[in-house]
Amino acid sequence: MKRPMSPFEQELVKAMDEYAHHATSPGFDAARIVARERRRIRVRISLATVSVATAAGIAACVATGAPGTGRVGVPVVGGTTAPATSSPAPGASAGPTGATGGGSPATSSSSTPGGVAPSWPTTATSSPFTGTVPPVPVLVSVRVGAHPEGGYDRISLEFTGQAPGYHVGYVQQVVRDGSGAPVSLPGSAFLQLAFTSAQAHDANGGSTLNPAPTNPVTVGYPELRSYVLNGDFEGTVSVALGLAAQHGFHVSELTKSPTDHVVYIDIARS
């Protein structure tokens, strides 16, 4: 089959035909025709280069997004059980994340194995109250979060006024402050948080938490199973955690402003 002529060839043949049928030379500018054809060739080469580069880029993205590469490319969807939230690994400088205030969890639990659990001690730890009252540190928010990538679960408690003192340690039985009545808290191990020189009520005696978690709140994370406000009595606010097992924990503080302080406890999952 005969190959079709290019625009350059067609114009050249036309010019030669005109030259053959005229006594005088037609308006035939060979240099102009050649220059125009070169421009057409450059445009075609540029378009071909762009197409090849685009195809290569798409292929690279798909390859880097494939499971097992450890890199992020085109998202892989369907059949995954990755958690909806994440946070920096233990020891990072970022503060608490996750959940809503007033005692309800904001992140869902995941049974998917996450990062390696940190090696934290299980022994009790304390930090004294170093300020003066007034103002009294007031508990205004309780937040929880699951962090499978770091191998731990977290509870954060936010205080206004100034930072309270605290004592955190394992107990055999959770009881109500003042009455000593036992609390049935879901979990196999119990971590008691006690915040000193603090309160969880306003000047009228109303709770500063909405809702107040005076009844156990079920969380259902792999380690953190539940929590309860089991005391707001004589300058001490008590919050007990129901855990899957007696694992190591870590206590940190974050000052968001001179009158806004967060104490957060991370509990290793194993």
Side-chain angles (χ1 to χ4, degrees):
M1 183 179 293
K2 198 172 182 181
R3 179 180 65 82
M5 290 188 296
S6 70
F8 168 75
E9 292 170 330
Q10 293 174 7
E11 190 165 353
L12 184 59
V13 169
K14 179 181 177 182
M16 291 175 67
D17 287 343
E18 289 180 0
Y19 181 79
H21 292 86
H22 292 79
T24 59
S25 176
F28 173 57
D29 188 347
R32 178 177 58 82
I33 296 174
V34 171
R36 187 161 56 229
E37 181 62 11
R38 284 177 177 169
R39 284 197 298 272
R40 290 195 186 103
I41 293 173
R42 282 197 297 268
V43 169
R44 287 198 294 269
I45 292 175
S46 297
L47 291 174
T49 302
V50 170
S51 298
V52 171
T54 302
I58 293 173
C61 286
V62 172
T64 56
T69 62
R71 294 174 291 177
V72 177
V74 177
V76 179
V77 296
T80 63
T81 53
T85 60
S86 62
S87 76
S93 59
T97 60
T100 60
S104 35
T107 57
S108 60
S109 62
S110 171
S111 59
T112 304
V116 176
S119 179
W120 291 322
T122 59
T123 52
T125 183
S126 299
S127 176
F129 175 65
T130 58
T132 56
V133 293
V136 174
V138 177
L139 178 62
V140 295
S141 181
V142 177
R143 303 180 177 92
V144 296
H147 299 273
E149 79 294 339
Y152 64 95
D153 294 333
R154 171 176 290 178
I155 185 167
S156 304
L157 302 102
E158 185 169 2
F159 293 83
T160 59
Q162 52 188 317
Y166 63 78
H167 177 85
V168 179
Y170 280 101
V171 296
Q172 293 296 319
Q173 174 70 55
V174 177
V175 298
R176 301 282 183 187
D177 287 353
S179 69
V183 179
S184 180
L185 189 62
S188 300
F190 308 105
L191 190 62
Q192 182 66 62
L193 323 178
F195 299 96
T196 56
S197 300
Q199 64 187 46
H201 60 272
D202 57 26
N204 298 319
S207 177
T208 53
L209 298 173
N210 184 24
T214 52
N215 292 319
V217 176
T218 299
V219 178
Y221 295 157
E223 177 61 18
L224 179 59
R225 299 298 177 85
S226 61
Y227 66 93
V228 66
L229 176 68
N230 62 313
D232 180 14
F233 183 71
E234 294 184 345
T236 299
V237 173
S238 300
V239 176
L241 313 182
L243 307 177
Q246 186 169 313
H247 291 149
F249 63 90
H250 177 73
V251 183
S252 297
E253 296 182 60
L254 172 69
T255 299
K256 298 170 68 175
S257 75
T259 58
D260 193 355
H261 307 271
V262 179
V263 180
Y264 56 101
I265 298 88
D266 296 335
I267 310 99
R269 292 189 171 185
S270 61

